[in-house]
Amino acid sequence: MAKVTITDIAKMVGVSKATVSYYLNGNTSKMSLVTQEKIRQVIEETGYQPNKIAQSLATQDTKTIGVVIADITNPFISSVMKGIHDQCQEEGYSVLFTNSDNNPEIEAENIHRLLQQNVSGILLDPIDANLPNLKQLDPQKTVMVDRESKDMFLDTVVSNNSDSTREFLAQMKAQGYRDLYFVTYPIEGISTREQRYQGFCEEVGSDPARLLVLGEPGTNEQILDLLAAAKRGLGFFTMNGPVLLEFMKLINGTPYQYPSDFGLGSYEDLDWMQVLNPSISCVRQDSYRIGRVSTHHLLGKLQGEEQPEQARRLVVPSELVLRKSF
């Protein structure tokens, strides 16, 4: 008889594979008792045995690293992935990349699939670092990349988001731009966005009127009104490259130009920002190094390097790149 898989269990119960995965990982807070009982009964009847990573690594090391990416279309992540690949190749490991497409159910399924494939360890770029099911991962075999949870239950590799943002805004202020605004996507629950906004508040102040969240009603109109008012010292700092692109689309076709009408800067340095005229000043993340450092740290843990009891936070410094946008 063929080995029973999680797909078989899901079909027998009439639920998704992700639902079965949530059950196996103990994440049942939003699952009905009826569904839980159905899954339990089918598992018992079929003799299905979850293939846990802790069990598999007790007897073998597949020399493979699984990588869970929140959104593979994010331009930042491509350099991170190359860093991961290059470090794995140098140290004799294969790598499996998965894309969660910003969907928590897909993310849970990807994690489960990697565990089923007996990966040696996991590098995790999560959608939400605070999701409870992530605590099921073995902290000795997992490293979080470019995100950090509020209670730091996993080792984490990040940029110095807050400090570098604050330093960049100090440069804008030194050039006379003191009426500054932070342009972003929604920030709640995403550590990188929260930390960059924290750096903004530390340097500029925490006036909520200076937080411009794209996608919220009235934000586009507020930006255009600020530009129309032509207040001296007006400046905008965008949370990352995609936000900057949305900002540029908004002002395209208007008479407003930087740096004559306003100052402009961004976190993240994408190629197209360098060829604009004027080119965009920015905080440049070392995304390639983040990938390499994350991988090297994980492999060290897997190879038995002594680790502290508390989760560690490793910081890869960013660089200020001052061009001609303010």
Side-chain angles (χ1 to χ4, degrees):
M1 181 178 177
K3 182 179 178 181
V4 177
T5 67
I6 191 173
T7 301
D8 298 325
I9 299 297
K11 288 180 179 178
M12 292 177 190
V13 178
V15 297
S16 69
K17 289 189 292 183
T19 298
V20 178
S21 179
Y22 281 135
Y23 175 85
L24 294 171
N25 289 325
N27 186 22
T28 58
S29 60
K30 296 183 179 180
M31 192 182 302
S32 71
L33 293 176
V34 172
T35 298
Q36 293 180 51
E37 179 60 19
K38 286 181 179 179
I39 295 173
R40 187 197 66 77
Q41 288 180 355
V42 171
I43 288 175
E44 183 176 342
E45 291 168 2
T46 59
Y48 172 72
Q49 292 293 325
N51 195 356
K52 302 291 187 180
I53 190 169
Q55 297 168 339
S56 67
L57 290 180
T59 57
Q60 61 177 318
D61 182 359
T62 60
K63 304 286 282 187
T64 301
I65 298 302
V67 186
V68 181
I69 302 295
D71 178 12
I72 208 167
T73 65
N74 185 335
F76 161 80
I77 209 67
S78 60
S79 292
V80 175
M81 292 170 65
K82 179 168 174 52
I84 291 170
H85 172 271
D86 290 354
Q87 191 70 33
C88 280
Q89 191 170 52
E90 286 182 14
E91 300 200 35
Y93 280 73
S94 300
V95 59
L96 293 174
F97 291 104
T98 67
N99 175 36
S100 302
D101 204 24
N102 281 325
N103 184 320
E105 285 198 1
I106 296 176
E107 180 178 81
E109 185 174 339
N110 287 340
I111 291 171
H112 180 81
R113 185 183 300 115
L114 291 172
L115 296 178
Q116 288 292 98
Q117 294 181 21
N118 296 338
V119 294
S120 304
I122 289 179
L123 291 168
L124 177 65
D125 165 45
I127 298 166
D128 182 347
N130 299 298
L131 288 177
N133 65 300
L134 299 182
K135 292 189 177 182
Q136 303 295 324
L137 292 167
D138 187 342
Q140 288 302 114
K141 301 177 178 70
T142 311
V143 170
M144 197 172 287
V145 183
D146 193 48
R147 295 284 190 274
E148 53 188 299
S149 61
K150 292 179 180 178
D151 56 1
M152 283 291 291
F153 58 90
L154 293 173
D155 285 4
T156 301
V157 180
V158 293
S159 300
N160 57 334
N161 291 290
S162 179
D163 289 346
S164 54
T165 298
R166 186 179 64 250
E167 292 167 6
F168 185 89
L169 290 162
Q171 292 289 330
M172 292 190 75
K173 288 171 65 177
Q175 295 298 318
Y177 296 93
R178 294 186 171 272
D179 186 22
L180 294 167
Y181 293 82
F182 187 86
V183 187
T184 182
Y185 294 135
I187 63 176
E188 186 175 358
I190 301 179
S191 60
T192 50
R193 301 177 188 181
E194 292 174 340
Q195 290 163 5
R196 291 168 196 175
Y197 182 54
Q198 177 186 345
F200 177 90
C201 291
E202 290 173 356
E203 184 62 33
V204 177
S206 55
D207 181 357
R210 297 190 178 278
L211 176 63
L212 303 174
V213 181
L214 297 180
E216 289 190 354
T219 295
N220 288 0
E221 292 77 8
Q222 186 178 356
I223 292 172
L224 294 175
D225 287 346
L226 287 167
L227 291 167
K231 187 175 179 180
R232 185 178 180 85
L234 176 64
F236 298 94
F237 181 81
T238 61
M239 184 274 300
N240 65 9
V243 171
L244 174 63
L245 183 59
E246 291 299 316
F247 180 89
M248 298 297 287
K249 289 178 181 178
L250 175 63
I251 66 171
N252 186 37
T254 71
Y256 312 117
Q257 296 184 348
Y258 66 91
S260 56
D261 298 318
F262 61 94
L264 183 61
S266 182
Y267 213 102
E268 196 169 31
D269 188 18
L270 303 180
D271 289 344
W272 58 267
M273 294 164 55
Q274 302 173 34
V275 298
L276 290 176
N277 188 18
S279 54
I280 304 292
S281 299
C282 64
V283 181
R284 177 188 289 159
Q285 285 180 282
D286 196 343
S287 51
Y288 178 75
R289 188 176 172 212
I290 288 173
R292 292 195 71 119
V293 169
S294 301
T295 307
H296 181 72
H297 182 62
L298 175 61
L299 297 183
K301 289 160 67 78
L302 295 176
Q303 292 161 12
E305 291 183 6
E306 186 174 349
Q307 301 293 324
E309 292 184 5
Q310 299 296 321
R312 297 177 60 190
R313 183 177 187 267
L314 285 71
V315 178
V316 176
S318 297
E319 173 189 5
L320 303 192
V321 180
L322 303 181
R323 297 185 177 118
K324 300 178 180 180
S325 58
F326 65 82

